[in-house]
Amino acid sequence: DGGITQSPKYLFRKEGQNVTLSCEQNLNHDAMYWYRQDPGQGLRLIYYSQIVNDFQKGDIAEGYSVSREKKESFPLTVTSAQKNPTAFYLCASGHRVAGVTDTQYFGPGTRLTVL
Amino acid sequence: EDQVTQSPEALRLQEGESSSLNCSYTVSGLRGLFWYRQDPGKGPEFLFTLYSAGEEKEKERLKATLTKKESFLHITAPKPEDSATYLCAVQAAGYSSASKIIFGSGTRLSIRP
């Protein structure tokens, strides 16, 4: 059963702590992405990776870090430097279609709350 | 500046009452336009990709159309289970990856029985 899994579903963080969100896919996609979703706003790209051992910053990378050691896995660490981390975090994987567009498939999300 | 705007922000319909959601975009060149459905507390579910003006795609009660400046998601005779937020996204030309997929803020659709 192919898909994308994210864990945990809910995460609570105290101020000053780093936390890591897990994302795993078995769709054999090369590309993986992390987005942040806030109420009333569109999805904003945090980091993306097109291949193992390589990743690029998105529009709002400050305060976040990632790694891509395996094709299937793309964990996101929210560091204490992120000033407003409370949000819904979405992981996606994707592939190029017809050599033109990059179709993305999303995981179920992790809701992070800072206490 | 590349931009995607969805309207209305929220739409309440009676079951069976057909309507359309709008996604207008300004990008330097369009590679493709995507529609997603998102249920509360869940990740977006891919619906369609449209590539060029005049293209149409259908899935059950949904039909997506594309012009040079906007896309419409038509919903025909909706049912309560069609209630969700519908997201539009655009991939701009001139970039090598999905780093330039721009999302709108969505239309929250509610269907009353």
Side-chain angles (χ1 to χ4, degrees), chain B residues 13-110:
Chain B
L13 300 172
Q14 199 69 33
E15 183 173 2
E17 180 185 1
S18 301
S19 188
S20 298
L21 314 182
N22 178 263
C23 172
S24 63
Y25 61 91
T26 53
V27 293
S28 52
L30 180 70
R31 274 196 183 179
L33 184 143
F34 310 94
W35 281 99
Y36 288 87
R37 169 193 169 126
Q38 185 175 24
D39 292 305
K42 297 189 177 180
E45 174 191 347
F46 172 74
L47 293 174
F48 307 109
T49 304
L50 301 168
Y51 294 95
S52 57
E55 187 175 3
E56 297 183 355
K57 287 195 176 172
E58 289 189 64
K59 181 178 181 179
E60 296 181 357
R61 294 175 292 282
L62 299 175
K63 183 168 80 172
T65 62
L66 181 65
T67 73
K68 288 187 177 179
K69 293 185 178 180
E70 58 191 349
S71 176
F72 292 94
L73 185 65
H74 306 277
I75 181 160
T76 303
K79 299 181 177 182
E81 53 263 40
D82 295 320
S83 298
T85 295
Y86 290 86
L87 301 175
C88 170
V90 166
Q91 185 165 8
Y95 299 94
S96 62
S97 74
S99 62
K100 283 301 175 183
I101 290 181
I102 305 153
F103 281 83
S105 54
T107 292
R108 193 169 61 254
L109 178 65
S110 175

Side-chain angles (χ1 to χ4, degrees), chain A residues 91-111:
Chain A
C91 178
S93 70
H95 63 110
R96 180 144 293 185
V97 176
V100 176
T101 55
D102 296 282
T103 302
Q104 297 174 310
Y105 299 89
F106 286 86
T110 293
R111 186 165 299 280

Side-chain angles (χ1 to χ4, degrees), chain A residues 2 6 28 43 45 65-66 85 106:
Chain A
Q6 291 185 242
N28 199 34
L43 275 65
L45 184 65
S65 66
V66 294
F106 286 86

Side-chain angles (χ1 to χ4, degrees), chain A residues 31-52:
Chain A
M32 296 188 75
Y33 314 85
W34 274 105
Y35 287 91
R36 170 180 172 141
Q37 187 174 37
D38 295 283
Q41 296 191 36
L43 275 65
R44 292 183 290 167
L45 184 65
I46 304 172
Y47 268 97
Y48 66 100
S49 169
Q50 294 182 272
I51 197 168
V52 174

